[in-house]
């Protein structure tokens, strides 16, 4: 990162990536709230209320690998700009859908923003590529930690813009997503990524033996743990606004719970890298899985406001430890010329599990109840724990 061979602009890459991630990540907590509530307004049946969120996850799955390949061929900078364009278009489509009560357009809006969020997931890998090897765990965790800005600003933007086009609710919040996405392009345009990094990622398109890489125990265990951490987080997070409103709480209270959830997702990132360096990726991932199980248990314990707060905060911290630990485990077990396609495969599987979790949570909460959603978390967590313990028996545990 501080190499004398780097230009002044190249030394700014890491802070510019942090700034870009913080700005472009701001709509994320807004989408958690908007998807379910807007869907409930426009959906033809209550079972479809979470369909926009689910399609957002599905688009993230579909676009994860192509986005990674696109970045491998054309560079991270163009990839992030493309993602920002998807987000801006999604915001416009979302506002249009509410003005004209068009549920299909709302689904398309969230699909576009799902493509964008799959792209923005590569900020953590881009940060790891512009720093020295010893700094990588810290760079990954700090990059995810920059999402704390999103946690603080996103719900505030939602509250102040949701009624901007009153009496049409939420349209102003979608318009704000478009403006934020355009502003987020500015730090990306200022990036000056080293040419060597882009050349290294291009080589993977023709030389990486992907199937053999994915068969490595540390690699597939890391992908499994990342997918489970994200899947459990989505399973409990996606229906939370609907569950809270159904329990008699206000939209503002649901927004505040989501705010603290997103804070819990990103605030620990400022020390997660140090924990990984000291205790290893595997132990940090296991701690994350344990916290995810505590979150599900708390959700099952009651439906008071305090239960929602505690459950979603534990959910955020558990995701942080599980996902960052798994990301670092994956990076540690990949050569530079293997990363582009394997990272794409990783994010595709993560998005697949998240999509299934989102669809499943919508069906479960509309058919059964909030407790049933929480109960479904435990089998997923158990699968990841078994994978970790199997890896621990080998000397490859990161």
């Amino acid at each position: 990162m501080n190499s004398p061979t780097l230009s002044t602009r190249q030394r700014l890459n890491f802070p510019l990536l942090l700034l870009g991630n913080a700005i472009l990540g701001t709509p994320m907590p807004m989408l958690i709230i908007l998807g379910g509530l807007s869907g409930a307004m426009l959906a033809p049946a209550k079972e479809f209320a979470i369909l926009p969120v689910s399609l957002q996850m599905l688009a993230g799955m579909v676009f994860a690998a192509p986005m990674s390949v696109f970045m491998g061929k054309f560079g991270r900078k163009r990839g992030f700009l493309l993602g920002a364009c998807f987000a801006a278009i999604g915001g416009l489509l979302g506002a249009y859908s509410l003005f004209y009560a068009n549920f299909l357009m709302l689904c398309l809006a969230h699909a576009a923003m799902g493509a964008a969020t799959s792209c923005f997931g590569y900020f953590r890998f881009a940060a790891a590529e512009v720093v020295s090897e010893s700094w990588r765990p810290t760079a990954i965790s700090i990059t995810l930690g920059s999402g704390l800005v999103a946690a603080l600003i996103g719900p505030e933007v939602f509250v102040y813009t949701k009624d901007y086009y009153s009496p049409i609710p939420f349209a102003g919040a979608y318009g704000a997503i478009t403006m934020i996405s355009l502003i987020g392009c500015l730090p990306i345009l200022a990036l000056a990524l080293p040419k060597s990094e882009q050349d290294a990622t291009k080589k993977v398109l023709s030389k990486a033996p992907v199937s053999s890489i994915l068969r490595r125990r540390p690699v597939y265990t890391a992908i499994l743990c990342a997918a489970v951490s994200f899947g459990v987080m989505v399973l409990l997070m996606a229906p939370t606004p609907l569950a809270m409103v159904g329990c008699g709480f206000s939209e503002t209270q649901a927004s505040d719970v989501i705010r603290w959830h997103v804070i819990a997702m990103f605030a620990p990132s400022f020390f997660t890298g140090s924990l990984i360096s000291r205790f290893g990726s595997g132990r940090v991932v296991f701690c994350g899985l344990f916290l995810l199980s505590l979150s599900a248990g708390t959700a099952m314990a009651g439906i008071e406001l305090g239960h929602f707060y505690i459950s979603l905060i534990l959910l955020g911290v558990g995701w942080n430890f599980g996902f960052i630990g798994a990301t670092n485990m994956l990076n540690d077990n990949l050569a530079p010329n293997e990363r582009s396609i394997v990272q794409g495969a990783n994010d595709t599987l993560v998005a697949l599990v998240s999509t299934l979790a989102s669809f499943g949570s919508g069906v479960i909460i509309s058919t059964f109840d909030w407790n049933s959603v929480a109960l479904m978390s435990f089998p997923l967590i158990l699968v990841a724990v078994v994978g970790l313990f199997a890896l621990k028996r080998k000397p490859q545990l990161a």
Side-chain angles (χ1 to χ4, degrees), residues 21-366:
N21 186 54
I23 296 173
L24 293 172
T26 296
M28 193 267 284
M30 299 171 65
L31 294 175
I32 298 169
I33 306 164
L34 284 168
L37 297 180
S38 299
M41 284 175 47
L42 302 182
K46 65 178 183 178
E47 290 82 6
F48 296 107
I50 300 183
L51 183 60
V53 178
S54 300
L55 289 175
Q56 180 180 316
M57 301 294 176
L58 180 62
M61 177 194 72
V62 171
F63 279 87
M67 281 289 190
S68 185
V69 173
F70 180 89
M71 290 184 182
K73 187 173 183 180
F74 298 105
R76 299 285 190 193
K77 182 173 179 176
R78 291 182 182 178
F80 293 138
L81 290 173
L82 179 60
C85 290
F86 275 122
I89 292 169
L92 291 174
L93 292 177
Y96 177 93
S97 72
L98 291 167
F99 272 106
Y100 294 96
N102 190 320
F103 183 66
L104 175 60
M105 195 63 68
L106 180 68
C107 291
L108 290 175
H110 279 265
M113 288 182 282
T117 54
S118 74
C119 174
F120 301 154
Y122 293 107
F123 270 111
R124 68 194 194 277
F125 293 122
E129 291 165 3
V130 298
V131 299
S132 63
E133 186 174 351
S134 62
W135 252 75
R136 282 176 182 167
T138 302
I140 291 170
S141 60
I142 289 177
T143 302
L144 287 174
S146 65
L148 185 60
V149 175
L152 296 172
I153 297 178
E156 289 297 321
V157 174
F158 169 77
V159 170
Y160 285 106
T161 61
K162 67 186 180 73
D163 297 319
Y164 185 80
Y165 293 111
S166 181
I168 300 172
F170 310 135
Y174 282 107
I177 288 174
T178 297
M179 293 302 299
I180 291 168
S181 302
L182 296 177
I183 293 169
C185 291
L186 298 179
I188 304 305
L189 288 169
L191 285 172
L193 297 176
K195 189 174 187 296
S196 58
E197 293 289 349
Q198 296 184 19
D199 289 345
T201 56
K202 287 177 184 177
K203 294 177 184 177
V204 71
L205 299 177
S206 60
K207 296 186 178 180
V210 180
S211 59
S212 63
I213 298 170
L214 294 177
R215 284 196 296 269
R216 295 178 199 160
R217 189 185 291 266
V219 171
Y220 69 67
T221 301
I223 294 174
L224 171 66
C225 291
V228 168
S229 297
F230 223 114
V232 171
M233 190 269 290
V234 170
L235 183 70
L236 289 172
M237 174 197 68
T240 292
L242 284 179
M244 290 187 66
V245 171
C247 290
F249 299 107
S250 69
E251 296 167 1
T252 301
Q253 287 173 310
S255 173
D256 197 53
V257 167
I258 294 300
R259 179 213 308 274
W260 283 102
H261 165 65
V262 181
I263 289 173
M265 285 175 65
F266 297 116
S269 299
F270 296 106
F271 58 82
T272 306
S274 299
L275 292 176
I276 291 172
S277 297
R278 182 171 180 180
F279 299 107
S281 299
R283 291 181 179 88
V284 172
V285 171
F286 179 78
C287 183
L289 295 172
F290 177 70
L291 291 172
L292 291 175
S293 66
L294 286 182
S295 169
T298 303
M300 295 178 67
I303 54 173
E304 300 297 325
L305 186 59
H307 289 104
F308 283 106
Y309 271 110
I310 295 171
S311 176
L312 270 290
I313 288 171
L314 288 171
L315 185 68
V317 178
W319 172 85
N320 182 282
F321 286 2
F323 191 64
I324 294 179
T327 297
N328 192 69
M329 187 188 299
L330 183 65
N331 248 25
D332 282 349
N333 289 283
L334 294 175
N337 68 331
E338 297 171 344
R339 287 177 183 150
S340 179
I341 284 184
V342 177
Q343 287 166 358
N346 173 76
D347 281 20
T348 297
L349 184 58
V350 167
L352 172 61
V353 174
S354 300
T355 301
L356 294 175
S358 181
F359 274 114
S361 68
V363 173
I364 293 168
I365 200 168
S366 62

